[in-house]
């Protein structure tokens, strides 16, 4: 069964059980009432948009809904490249708002998974986990599974969202029951006393792979930030009160479930990824296919990272996120740069390539998400601009690292490693690799510390960008919420113009320190860019908040860029 067939079957099954089909929400987490969910950077689960329904604050169009939701999860970016981790995936969901509860949810899950009309999975290859105190869910699963294949586990795995039992995040929550499928070629040994560890493993080599999660939403978790200045410190619990009614949030990762039930070793073997990997292979001058390389070869890993990141990047841009230095834009910028770096360093792609992968992404989605087709030009242009900009700074970053390596004997400062990651987009493992060649270790503790600081900053609003002047003084800039993906030249009849800031990227010196110099793009600009022997315009860009002196203007991608010094 293909990814597309699985999506269709799932949605059909739940519609046949009186669920109404509901569209995916944006990856920018707006809920069904149009409010932005401030507690999240991205939509990370099928239930996010439905929070007002779970809370009884808005009435759903029907008490039962089903959907396939676009999801971005970036907590674990460094794991991407293995066989199962994805930063973008689709989550199939069925939801009950005060309608059926544990018995109904588990019965539907079982019927969908095992009935010959639907997935027809072998019941002897299925297992479940329930929250340790949840006798009711245990009893319901006991109707289908023998006791040795139902496990009671603690809140770390079986109370959703993770951590909400003790330290947040706030929101609707409850105990959950997860379903697992035995993927090994051998049958699961009958009556074997499986250990809890069998169900905690989450990689393609594990014996049991998770293929679904029924969350029994019944509480509102309330807490306050331990330290409002440092959201990363988490929350202090204030209360966990029952919601007005009990609900269900079932979620299944589409690509992963499709791979597991098709007996494929990895999500990258599904047709969600095949066209993308084929395109990447065709760009490889040696024309070697993804399958040519052993699974753990650096080339295969690089191809998987690129294939994952291009999907995330395309969908983020389609939902209006643009690369920047804070918030969602910061995450997007990191993903694009990491992919470009892999392409350049590991696969030897000398020319911009990332935007060429938009077409296979679209092809693999088969029109299911129209926004991907409608915003084709914006997506391609944004990817190309960002890659060009990055390739310009990449050379600087490499020089910085080489120079530093000549000087340090023992360890590379973590802050510098982070700066390379953050500013020049060198993933840690690349810096480590380069350092190892020079016999130098990277100070990981310092790196983590710098990363934690940046993560806090990245939780900030996506419409404000903080830049730093030559003395490191922070300056908040309003980035246009209608930032364009190209600049329009308006200087034929004027030398002054009121416009909005579209993009800004700081320049750093060879030590990775801020210089007070920036490259700025505006939605519309009267500055003439250098071309055909004519030099670029100079002048001033100013607002109530700042004043920049423009020393040069040039064209790159669709943007007209201003080399600017903060005054
Ligand atoms: N929200 C739950 C999850 O993400 C189930 O949809 O696992």
């Amino acid at each position: 069964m293909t990814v597309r067939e699985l999506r269709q079957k799932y949605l059909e099954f739940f519609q046949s059980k009186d669920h109404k089909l509901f569209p995916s929400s944006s990856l920018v987490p707006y809920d069904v009432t149009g409010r932005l969910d401030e507690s999240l950077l991205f939509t990370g689960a099928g239930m996010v948009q439905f929070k007002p329904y779970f809370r009884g604050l808005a009435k759903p169009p029907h008490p039962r809904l089903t959907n396939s939701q676009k999801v971005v999860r970036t907590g674990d970016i460094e794991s991407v490249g293995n066989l199962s981790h994805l930063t973008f995936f689709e989550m199939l969901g069925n939801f009950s708002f005060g309608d059926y509860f544990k018995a109904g949810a588990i019965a539907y899950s079982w019927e969908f998974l095992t009935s010959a009309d639907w997935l027809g999975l072998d019941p002897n290859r299925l297992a479940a986990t329930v929250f340790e105190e949840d006798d009711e869910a245990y009893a319901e699963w006991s109707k289908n599974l023998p006791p040795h294949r139902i496990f009671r586990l603690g809140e770390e795995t079986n109370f959703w969202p993770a951590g909400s039992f003790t330290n947040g995040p706030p929101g609707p929550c409850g105990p959950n029951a997860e379903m697992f499928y035995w993927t090994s070629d051998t049958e699961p040994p009958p009556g074997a006393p499986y250990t809890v560890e069998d169900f905690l493993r989450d990689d393609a080599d594990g014996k049991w792979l998770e293929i679904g999660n029924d969350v029994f939403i019944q509480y509102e978790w309330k807490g306050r930030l331990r330290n409002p200045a440092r959201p990363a410190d988490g929350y202090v619990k204030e209360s966990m009160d029952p919601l007005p009614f009990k609900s269900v949030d079932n979620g299944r990762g589409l690509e992963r479930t499709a791979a597991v039930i098709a007996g494929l070793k990895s999500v990258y073997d599904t047709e969600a990824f095949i066209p993308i990997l084929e395109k990447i292979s065709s760009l490889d001058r040696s024309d070697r296919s993804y399958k040519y390389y052993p699974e753990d070869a650096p080339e295969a890993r690089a191809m998987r990272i690129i294939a994952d990141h291009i999907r995330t990047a395309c969908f983020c841009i389609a939902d209006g996120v643009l690369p920047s230095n804070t918030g969602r834009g910061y995450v997007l910028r990191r993903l694009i740069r990491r992919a470009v770096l892999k392409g350049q360093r590991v696969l030897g792609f000398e020319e911009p390539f990332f935007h060429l992968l938009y077409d296979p992404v679209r092809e693999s989605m088969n029109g299911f998400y129209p926004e991907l087709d409608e915003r084709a030009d914006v997506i391609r242009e944004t990817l190309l601009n960002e890659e060009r900009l990055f390739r310009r700074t990449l050379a600087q970053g490499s020089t910085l690292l080489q120079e530093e390596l000549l000087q340090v004997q023992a360890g590379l400062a973590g802050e510098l490693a982070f700066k390379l990651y953050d500013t020049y987009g060198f993933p840690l493992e690349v810096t480590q690799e380069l350092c190892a060649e020079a016999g130098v270790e990277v100070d990981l503790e310092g790196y983590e510390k710098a990363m934690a600081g940046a993560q806090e900053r990245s939780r900030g609003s996506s419409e404000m960008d903080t830049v730093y002047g030559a003395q490191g003084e922070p300056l908040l800039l309003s980035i246009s919420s209608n930032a364009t993906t190209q600049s329009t030249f308006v200087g034929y009849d004027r030398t002054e113009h009121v416009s909005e800031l579209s993009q800004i990227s700081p320049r750093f010196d060879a030590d990775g320190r801020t210089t007070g110099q920036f490259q700025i793009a505006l939605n519309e600009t009267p500055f003439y860019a250098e071309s055909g022997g004519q030099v670029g315009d100079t002048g001033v860009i100013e607002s109530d908040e700042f004043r920049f002196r423009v020393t040069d203007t040039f064209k790159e991608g669709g943007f007209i860029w201003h080399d600017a010094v903060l005054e």
Side-chain angles (χ1 to χ4, degrees):
M1 182 179 300
T2 64
V3 168
R4 184 152 46 114
E5 285 162 357
L6 176 61
R7 191 201 287 125
Q8 199 175 334
K9 273 216 163 189
Y10 182 90
L11 298 176
E12 249 175 50
F13 173 80
F14 281 98
Q15 287 176 93
S16 79
K17 305 291 182 192
D18 192 29
H19 289 62
K20 263 205 163 52
L21 184 60
F22 202 89
S24 171
S25 74
S26 165
L27 284 172
V28 180
Y30 289 102
D31 69 22
V32 283
T33 68
R35 267 192 66 211
L36 183 65
D37 188 333
E38 302 282 355
S39 69
L40 298 168
L41 213 47
F42 288 102
T43 300
M47 60 79 77
V48 167
Q49 63 171 331
F50 299 133
K51 285 183 188 176
Y53 294 161
F54 289 120
R55 289 173 169 147
L57 298 175
K59 196 171 150 37
H62 195 64
R64 301 170 172 212
L65 300 178
T66 185
N67 70 359
S68 185
Q69 171 69 47
K70 301 177 283 188
V71 163
V72 165
R73 290 186 180 177
T74 55
D76 217 359
I77 290 184
E78 298 303 332
S79 301
V80 173
N82 69 11
L83 295 177
S84 63
H85 258 84
L86 297 173
T87 57
F88 171 88
F89 60 96
E90 290 178 71
M91 182 157 323
L92 300 170
N94 58 274
F95 303 89
S96 148
F97 305 102
D99 196 69
Y100 59 83
F101 197 46
K102 293 178 187 174
I106 291 169
Y108 284 144
S109 286
W110 185 254
E111 182 181 347
F112 178 68
L113 292 173
T114 58
S115 157
D117 294 337
W118 302 99
L119 296 192
L121 297 182
D122 177 357
N124 294 320
R125 284 177 170 262
L126 290 168
T129 63
V130 299
F131 180 51
E132 55 199 356
E133 295 165 20
D134 195 345
D135 295 335
E136 199 184 335
Y138 190 94
E140 290 304 326
W141 271 113
S142 298
K143 293 177 183 166
N144 308 309
L145 294 170
H148 66 274
R149 276 195 276 124
I150 312 172
F151 275 77
R152 290 176 187 264
L153 296 183
E155 47 97 7
E156 332 70 71
T157 55
N158 284 64
F159 203 94
W160 200 90
S164 60
F165 199 66
T166 43
N167 57 0
C173 64
N176 63 282
E178 300 195 332
M179 290 142 263
F180 291 81
Y181 187 65
W182 178 268
T183 52
S184 171
D185 291 339
T186 56
E187 299 261 315
Y194 300 117
T195 64
V196 167
E197 281 68 35
D198 286 331
F199 292 92
L200 293 178
R201 295 187 55 169
D202 192 26
D203 58 68
D205 302 328
K207 291 173 185 154
W208 292 98
L209 285 190
E210 189 210 320
I211 52 165
N213 185 13
D214 275 316
V215 185
F216 309 116
I217 300 233
Q218 45 193 311
Y219 307 107
E220 176 79 30
W221 196 94
K222 285 200 181 118
R224 63 186 154 74
L225 280 174
R226 198 175 299 279
N227 175 359
R230 288 170 47 102
D233 289 354
Y235 292 82
V236 181
K237 184 172 180 173
E238 285 182 329
S239 59
M240 191 160 75
D241 300 321
L243 285 163
F245 44 80
K246 294 176 175 171
S247 297
V248 171
D249 151 29
N250 173 291
R252 279 174 213 289
L254 170 64
E255 299 84 345
R256 175 192 177 117
T257 307
V260 167
I261 61 180
L264 300 171
K265 197 147 179 231
S266 124
V267 287
Y268 294 97
D269 296 330
T270 65
E271 96 281 8
F273 287 94
I274 289 170
I276 308 172
L277 289 165
E278 276 174 358
K279 180 73 187 174
I280 298 172
S281 306
S282 77
L283 299 171
D284 186 331
R285 246 168 303 151
S286 57
D287 206 22
R288 288 182 176 146
S289 72
Y290 168 63
K291 284 284 165 199
Y292 166 87
Y293 295 105
E295 200 173 276
D296 52 0
E299 291 86 350
R301 209 179 127 75
M303 287 185 184
R304 290 194 291 268
I305 289 173
I306 295 169
D308 168 79
H309 290 7
I310 186 64
R311 295 189 346 140
T312 316
C314 288
F315 275 97
C316 280
I317 299 167
D319 280 346
V321 180
L322 289 174
S324 79
N325 287 336
T326 53
R328 297 173 189 95
Y330 175 78
V331 174
L332 173 61
R333 170 162 281 170
R334 272 164 58 194
L335 289 170
I336 296 175
R337 295 187 168 200
R338 183 165 183 242
V340 168
L341 198 64
K342 287 283 172 201
Q344 200 215 38
R345 282 197 63 87
V346 184
L347 303 173
F349 299 163
E350 292 306 334
E351 296 298 320
F353 67 94
F354 205 45
H355 62 295
L356 302 174
L357 303 176
Y358 161 78
D359 282 331
V361 171
R362 183 174 64 173
E363 185 192 323
S364 70
M365 286 296 160
N366 256 292
F368 192 78
Y369 296 103
E371 62 273 29
L372 206 57
D373 303 61
E374 287 157 12
R375 307 210 66 198
D377 290 346
V378 178
I379 296 170
R380 272 194 290 247
E381 277 169 31
T382 305
L383 294 174
L384 181 58
N385 286 336
E386 180 65 13
E387 179 162 0
R388 284 192 171 145
L389 204 60
F390 177 49
R391 283 180 182 263
R392 282 169 78 115
T393 56
L394 194 55
Q396 282 178 293
S398 306
T399 314
L400 164 63
L401 180 60
Q402 293 308 337
E403 282 170 4
E404 193 70 20
L405 283 179
L406 290 179
Q407 290 174 27
V408 295
Q409 302 294 323
L412 184 77
E415 247 170 67
L416 181 68
F418 180 70
K419 176 86 30 193
L420 285 165
Y421 175 70
D422 193 34
T423 309
Y424 300 103
F426 281 44
L428 176 63
E429 70 259 28
V430 172
T431 305
Q432 279 175 314
E433 252 166 56
L434 296 172
C435 287
E437 286 167 16
V440 167
E441 264 188 50
V442 179
D443 157 28
L444 288 179
E445 219 172 279
Y447 175 85
E448 296 294 340
K449 239 173 102 183
M451 169 77 93
Q455 275 168 349
E456 267 164 44
R457 290 200 296 281
S458 83
R459 284 171 192 252
S461 152
S462 63
E463 278 155 27
M464 297 299 272
D465 222 344
T466 313
V467 300
Y468 298 89
Q471 268 70 51
E473 73 278 19
L475 176 68
L476 264 185
L477 303 180
S478 316
I479 302 290
S480 167
S481 49
N482 299 313
T484 50
T485 53
Q486 54 181 27
S487 318
T488 308
F489 177 64
V490 295
Y492 295 108
D493 58 359
R494 70 191 80 176
T495 55
E496 277 186 37
H497 187 65
V498 177
S499 182
E500 290 181 277
L501 202 55
S502 172
Q503 305 272 318
I504 178 158
S505 30
R507 280 184 178 279
F508 295 87
D509 66 15
D511 295 329
R513 282 192 294 263
T514 51
T515 59
Q517 291 183 28
F518 298 86
Q519 292 180 336
I520 294 175
L522 306 170
N523 283 358
E524 296 172 330
T525 181
F527 286 79
Y528 184 82
E530 79 186 54
S531 82
Q534 273 192 268
V535 293
D537 275 349
T538 57
V540 170
I541 297 178
E542 64 180 350
S543 79
D544 293 339
E545 300 163 329
F546 57 76
R547 183 181 157 94
F548 288 100
R549 189 161 41 81
V550 176
T551 56
D552 198 3
T553 304
F554 62 93
K555 254 190 162 154
E556 185 81 82
F559 285 115
I560 296 170
W561 291 98
H562 308 95
D563 275 329
V565 183
L566 186 60
E567 291 198 317

